[in-house]
């Protein structure tokens, strides 16, 4: 009777991915196809430049993997695997694997590895998908409300379910429209041209455009309606609808499905939701008549973030809300400054105030500094620069008082270089893109994340179009951007203290910005700009770059998840700091992290690292020639 | 006294001449690894036997497990485990090794198991924790079956552990009682905990311990270690 069951080894394998996915019979026989070795601390299991033909499975102890430059790739204890790159990919090894404790390993030979991979797709997928999948689960688990009442997760469709759609045809009279609104108890009516939304008429329109102007009620509705109103797809998340209304200054938002209206969401609908303090804050900010009032309102933001984090609102939505409040603060400060300047300088020249960096990307966190610039129209009168200088002084001062520190790099409209006429900006960008000087480009990348905030948006649109056209041809420029995207390494070394409980206390702090959020932002920028895409939001950039094939779609999705997770941890940390009265930053101590966060952050940083490596390897010559 | 003892190779040769033709003689005719064999190349067979008791004369082997060690690598494909069939009750010893009378009733013929062990051991050094037990019972079995004793070249991980614990700088002359036992020794190296007293698991546990001991002793030694440096007969 043959009886060679190596129960202890089989049980061990059954407890660890990807072996746990193998059928019991395969698992039972697997140990007899392996060998085992023992490695003293600090001896090598694999060496750069040397062939490896086994999958290494840590049975006890711990290993670390380093790349050819000696930089840490990962560390792991019992159950960790290493060497798959030389089995799935090519020999010789591009990594060193070193025992960082006395380590017992099991070795699965190349032939068996491929046999298992061929017969068991789960096993094969593990080595590619493990990190992405674990991370996706982590990202979705933080954005799901445990109580099941994620109201900001509800969509427009959920909000209009009760109310029937109220419409009149385009040839209706004002009186007919008002009658329909009254009988349907609705504050608005959609005006339809066939099945298309031609316009919207609201209570406010009746008051302002009809009654106040003494318009004939039997006249047509078309002249007094708001033509071609802003609409949103039915599935838009409530928080997006909210932000659209705030940003576009509308109180009624028709929802459309396949181009046809299915209902109207009002700001009142949204305010009924529990968690929309953002609306109140933004609304209150626009009511303030002096800088002190704006400053006071801005002071509510940290508490708002704390609430949103507690309510498990996703980081993507929270940063949009923080951005939205930041926008409202900056717009109101500009408006107040313009009022002040009117006495001495008269009306403002044609200009566009643009925000840059995280604000432009709708990714503002707490503690972000100011980044803005001004595009003046080429035909602005002489002295327009002086006007903007005076305006910028007031706005920067107000923002500083409101808790947005001055930009350390002086990327602000108070800097004469960053308030130029359109032709000056075009010259500036052409130089960055076509004749890049490395240092200048590194400083300039922030300008490639820009968004018009106030003034004539056409000036910004014109510049953005030029940039999108020029960038894909700017190979040297893209090479510099690539370099920049590879400059900030994910802080994987930080996790040593967690993986190895015995390795002693790790006193260092983890920087979630540089190698985390910042690295993802840089990756998204280089992929999107390289493909001539115009989005500036990092998530939008990644997804768009994935759709056009500028980046592997799965990698893009993983980076989106990584961004969401790291941002969420960062926001929670910042909210705690704000509550404790300290200035919000992006540095965490190990004790700030739960075991789940440690694991998931480590996976997130792995995704970032993997995307950086792909970027550096995929087309090594494309951008550098 | 050591100087007067014959080398294992010489004892093997004379035992081979005296043994009857058959598996024992075949085993004894295969040379043991040379005393000068570097540990990195040394072939061993880690072996563990479960018995009905500790009296070599009266008690019997009821199960055996073994796994080859080739230099620094444990070859799990060579791992084997055999339950020996016999007509006697295992009695209270079942509480130690967990092997029941039913399992033993279905087990292999003792002689066949012995042949397999001899085949696996040929040309290899016997490796065991407290090896005198394994050697004593296997030799007694050879006496019963072939009328001649077993001669082995042997490495004992218990003796090695004693050296590991006492030879270091500032080490005690005698380790704490229990410190040289298999599971305590393994713990010292951070080796995983196993369920004890299953012969193949114990053999594997011993093999892993040997690799760890060898790594540590090699580190302490200025030159590469050979079989002679770790051997206790």
């Amino acid at each position: 009777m043959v009886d060679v069951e190596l129960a202890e080894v089989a049980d061990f394998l059954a407890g660890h991915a990807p072996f746990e996915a193998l059928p019991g019979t395969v698992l039972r026989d697997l140990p007899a196809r392996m060998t085992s070795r023992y490695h003293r601390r600090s001896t090598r299991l694999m060496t750069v430049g040397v062939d490896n033909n086994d999958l290494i499975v840590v049975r006890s102890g711990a290993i670390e993997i380093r790349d050819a430059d000696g930089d840490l790739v990962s560390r792991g204890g019992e159950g960790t695997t290493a060497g798959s790159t030389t089995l799935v990919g090519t020999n010789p090894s591009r990594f060193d694997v070193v025992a960082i404790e006395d380590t017992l390993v099991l070795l699965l030979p190349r032939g068996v590895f491929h046999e298992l991979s061929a017969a068991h797709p789960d096993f094969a997928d593990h080595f590619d998908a493990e990190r992405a999948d674990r991370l996706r689960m982590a990202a979705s688990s933080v954005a799901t409300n445990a109580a099941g009442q994620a109201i900001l997760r509800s969509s427009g469709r959920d909000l209009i379910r009760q109310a029937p759609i109220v419409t009149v045809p385009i040839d209706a009279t004002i009186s007919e429209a008002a009658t329909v609104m009254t009988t349907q108890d609705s504050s608005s009516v959609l005006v339809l041209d066939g099945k298309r939304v031609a316009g919207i008429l609201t209570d406010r329109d009746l008051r302002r455009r009809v009654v106040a102007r003494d318009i004939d009620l039997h006249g047509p509705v078309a002249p007094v309606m708001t033509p071609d109103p802003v609409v949103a797809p039915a599935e838009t998340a409530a928080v997006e609808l909210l932000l659209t209304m705030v940003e576009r200054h509308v109180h009624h938002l028709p929802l459309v499905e396949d181009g046809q209206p299915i209902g109207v969401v009002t700001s009142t609908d949204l305010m009924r939701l529990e968690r929309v303090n953002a609306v109140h804050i933004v609304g209150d900010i626009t009511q303030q008549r002096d800088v002190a009032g704006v400053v006071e309102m801005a002071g509510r933001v940290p508490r708002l973030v704390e609430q949103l984090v507690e309510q498990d609102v996703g980081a993507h939505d929270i940063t949009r809300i923080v951005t939205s409040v930041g926008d409202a603060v900056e717009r109101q400060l500009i408006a107040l400054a313009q009022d002040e300047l009117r006495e001495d300088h008269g009306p403002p020249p044609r200009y566009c105030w643009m925000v840059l960096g995280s604000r432009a990307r709708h990714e503002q966190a707490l503690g972000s500094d100011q980044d803005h610039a001004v595009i003046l129209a080429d035909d602005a009168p002489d002295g327009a620069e002086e006007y903007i200088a005076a305006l910028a002084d007031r706005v920067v001062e107000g923002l500083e008082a409101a808790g947005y520190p001055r930009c350390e790099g002086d990327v602000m409209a108070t800097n004469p270089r960053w308030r130029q006429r359109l032709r000056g900006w075009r010259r500036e960008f052409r130089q960055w893109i076509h004749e890049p000087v490395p240092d200048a480009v590194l400083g300039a990348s922030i300008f490639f994340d820009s968004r018009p905030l106030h003034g004539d948006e056409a000036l910004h649109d014109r510049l953005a179009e030029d940039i999108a056209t020029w960038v894909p041809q700017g190979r040297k420029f893209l090479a510099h951007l690539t370099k920049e995207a590879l400059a900030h390494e994910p802080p994987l070394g930080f996790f040593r203290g967690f993986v190895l409980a015995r390795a002693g206390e790790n006193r260092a702090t983890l920087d979630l910005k540089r190698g985390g959020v910042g690295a993802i932002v840089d990756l998204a920028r280089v992929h999107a700009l390289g493909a001539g895409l115009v989005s500036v939001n990092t998530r939008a950039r990644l997804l768009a770059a994935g759709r056009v094939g500028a980046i592997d779609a799965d990698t893009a999705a993983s980076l989106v998840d990584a961004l969401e997770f790291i941002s969420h941890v960062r926001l929670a940390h910042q909210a705690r700091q704000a509550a404790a009265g300290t200035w919000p930053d992006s540095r965490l101590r190990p004790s700030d992290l739960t075991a789940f966060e440690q694991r998931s952050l480590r996976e997130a940083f792995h995704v970032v690292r993997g995307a950086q490596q792909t970027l550096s390897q995929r087309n090594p010559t494309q951008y550098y020639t | 006294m050591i100087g007067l003892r014959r080398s294992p190779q010489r004892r093997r040769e004379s035992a081979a001449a005296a043994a009857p033709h058959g598996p024992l003689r075949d085993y004894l005719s295969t040379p043991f690894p040379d005393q000068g064999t570097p540990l990195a190349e040394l072939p061993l067979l880690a072996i563990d036997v479960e018995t009905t008791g500790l009296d070599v004369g009266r008690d019997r082997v009821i199960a055996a497990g073994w796994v080859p060690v080739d230099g620094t690598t444990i070859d799990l494909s060579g791992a084997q485990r055999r339950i020996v069939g016999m007509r006697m009750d295992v009695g209270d010893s079942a509480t130690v090794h967990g092997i029941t009378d039913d399992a033993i009733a279905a087990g292999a013929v003792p002689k066949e198991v012995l042949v397999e062990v001899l085949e696996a051991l040929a040309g290899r050094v016997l490796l065991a924790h407290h090896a005198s037990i394994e050697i004593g019972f296997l030799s007694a079995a050879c006496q019963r079956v072939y009328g001649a004793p077993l001669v082995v070249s042997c490495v004992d991980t218990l003796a090695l552990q004693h050296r590991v614990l006492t030879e270091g700088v500032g080490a005690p002359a005698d380790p704490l009682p229990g410190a040289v036992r298999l599971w305590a020794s393994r713990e010292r190296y951070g080796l995983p905990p196993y369920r004890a007293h299953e012969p193949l698991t114990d053999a594997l546990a011993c093999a892993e311990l040997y690799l760890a001991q060898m790594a540590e002793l090699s580190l302490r030694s200025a030159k590469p270690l050979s079989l002679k440096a770790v051997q206790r007969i």
Side-chain angles (χ1 to χ4, degrees), chain A residues 1-9 11 31-38 40 59-61 102 104 106 502, chain B residues 72-77 79-82 189-195 200-201 204 208 211-212 215-216 219:
Chain A
M1 186 182 80
V2 177
D3 181 7
V4 290
E5 190 177 336
L6 284 150
E8 296 282 353
V9 180
D11 288 353
R33 310 182 73 182
M34 305 175 92
T35 58
S36 182
R37 294 177 77 105
Y38 184 86
R40 287 281 301 185
R59 178 68 183 89
S60 65
D102 293 347
L104 181 70
L106 292 164
R502 279 166 285 170
Chain B
T72 57
T73 303
I74 299 170
D75 178 11
L76 295 173
S77 72
Q80 294 291 337
R81 172 176 179 267
R82 290 288 180 276
Y189 289 101
L191 292 166
Y194 290 149
R195 295 181 290 263
L200 177 51
T201 300
L204 177 62
E208 290 171 353
L211 293 188
E216 177 158 0
L219 211 67

Side-chain angles (χ1 to χ4, degrees), chain A residues 34-75:
Chain A
M34 305 175 92
T35 58
S36 182
R37 294 177 77 105
Y38 184 86
H39 296 269
R40 287 281 301 185
R41 181 193 303 265
S42 65
T43 56
R44 275 190 208 178
L45 289 73
M46 254 173 72
T47 303
V48 172
V50 176
D51 285 3
N52 171 68
N53 292 300
D54 297 294
L55 181 73
I56 297 166
V57 187
V58 175
R59 178 68 183 89
S60 65
I63 57 169
E64 69 180 22
I65 304 174
R66 289 183 178 273
D67 64 19
D69 297 331
D71 292 334
L72 186 67
V73 176
S74 71
R75 286 193 169 97

Side-chain angles (χ1 to χ4, degrees), chain A residues 576-590:
Chain A
R576 281 195 299 271
Q577 286 181 313
T582 53
W583 185 253
D585 61 23
S586 298
R587 306 196 67 93
L588 273 80
R589 290 188 309 275

Side-chain angles (χ1 to χ4, degrees), chain B residues 18-210:
Chain B
H21 286 279
L24 179 61
R25 187 165 186 161
D26 292 346
Y27 161 78
L28 290 168
S29 303
T30 311
F32 293 155
D34 189 84
Q35 296 290 99
T37 308
L39 293 189
E41 297 165 18
L42 183 68
L44 307 99
L45 188 75
I47 185 161
D48 180 77
V49 297
E50 298 296 325
T51 61
T52 54
L54 291 176
D55 185 331
V56 173
R58 195 184 63 222
D59 289 313
R60 294 288 184 270
V61 172
I62 56 172
W66 60 89
V67 60
V69 179
D70 296 319
T72 57
T73 303
I74 299 170
D75 178 11
L76 295 173
S77 72
Q80 294 291 337
R81 172 176 179 267
R82 290 288 180 276
I83 293 177
V84 180
M86 60 182 73
R87 281 179 292 279
M88 67 189 288
D89 289 350
V90 295
D92 289 346
S93 71
T95 60
V96 175
H97 48 63
I99 299 167
T100 61
D101 292 331
D102 284 349
I104 286 172
V109 176
K111 186 176 165 181
E112 286 174 3
V113 176
L114 188 61
V115 170
E116 281 194 70
V117 170
L118 291 173
E119 283 175 356
L121 191 57
R124 291 180 178 272
V125 171
L126 185 146
L127 178 66
H129 200 77
H130 198 1
S132 63
I133 301 272
E134 275 67 29
I135 296 170
F137 276 92
L138 290 174
S139 190
C142 286
Q143 280 286 4
R144 279 193 299 277
V145 175
Y146 304 112
L150 181 71
V151 173
V152 296
S153 174
C154 152
V155 168
D156 188 337
T157 49
L158 186 145
L160 278 180
Q161 191 64 17
H162 197 274
R163 270 176 62 183
V164 164
L165 295 178
T166 56
E167 283 182 0
V169 178
D174 278 306
L176 287 172
V180 295
R181 299 174 93 163
L182 180 58
W183 307 105
S185 305
R186 285 175 58 84
E187 202 177 353
R188 183 179 180 278
Y189 289 101
L191 292 166
Y194 290 149
R195 295 181 290 263
H197 295 299
E198 193 287 317
L200 177 51
T201 300
D202 283 7
L204 177 62
C206 169
E208 290 171 353
L209 174 62
Y210 165 74

Side-chain angles (χ1 to χ4, degrees), chain A residues 59-193:
Chain A
R59 178 68 183 89
S60 65
I63 57 169
E64 69 180 22
I65 304 174
R66 289 183 178 273
D67 64 19
D69 297 331
D71 292 334
L72 186 67
V73 176
S74 71
R75 286 193 169 97
E78 186 182 305
T80 300
T81 57
S84 65
T85 53
T86 60
L87 304 177
V88 177
T90 53
N91 264 322
S93 174
R94 287 181 286 119
F95 301 98
D96 282 329
V97 177
V98 180
I100 49 177
E101 293 182 2
D102 293 347
T103 298
L104 181 70
V105 296
L106 292 164
L107 301 173
L108 184 73
R110 171 182 290 275
V112 181
F113 176 86
H114 285 299
E115 189 185 311
L116 291 173
S117 296
H120 307 284
D122 287 354
F123 181 87
D125 288 350
H126 168 85
F127 295 97
D128 296 329
E130 161 189 61
R131 286 176 182 143
D133 286 353
R134 271 197 252 156
L135 186 67
R136 190 154 301 144
M137 283 161 60
S140 63
S141 73
V142 294
T144 307
N145 189 318
Q149 42 175 316
I151 294 175
L152 285 181
R153 289 265 139 198
S154 52
S155 71
R157 187 190 299 281
D158 301 326
L159 292 169
I160 58 159
R161 197 155 281 161
Q162 305 88 345
I165 183 164
V166 181
T167 62
V168 292
I170 188 88
D171 55 3
T173 64
I174 295 170
S175 170
E176 285 165 350
T179 306
V180 169
M181 287 167 71
T182 305
T183 56
Q184 302 275 338
D185 192 22
S186 172
S187 62
S188 69
V189 61
L190 290 181
V191 181
L192 299 187
D193 183 0

Side-chain angles (χ1 to χ4, degrees), chain A residues 10 107 187 190 216 218 235 259 278 307 329 357 372 432 459 469 550 585:
Chain A
L107 301 173
S187 62
L190 290 181
D216 178 8
H218 298 288
E235 300 307 330
Q307 286 172 350
V329 167
H372 41 70
W432 282 330
L459 292 169
T469 314
D585 61 23

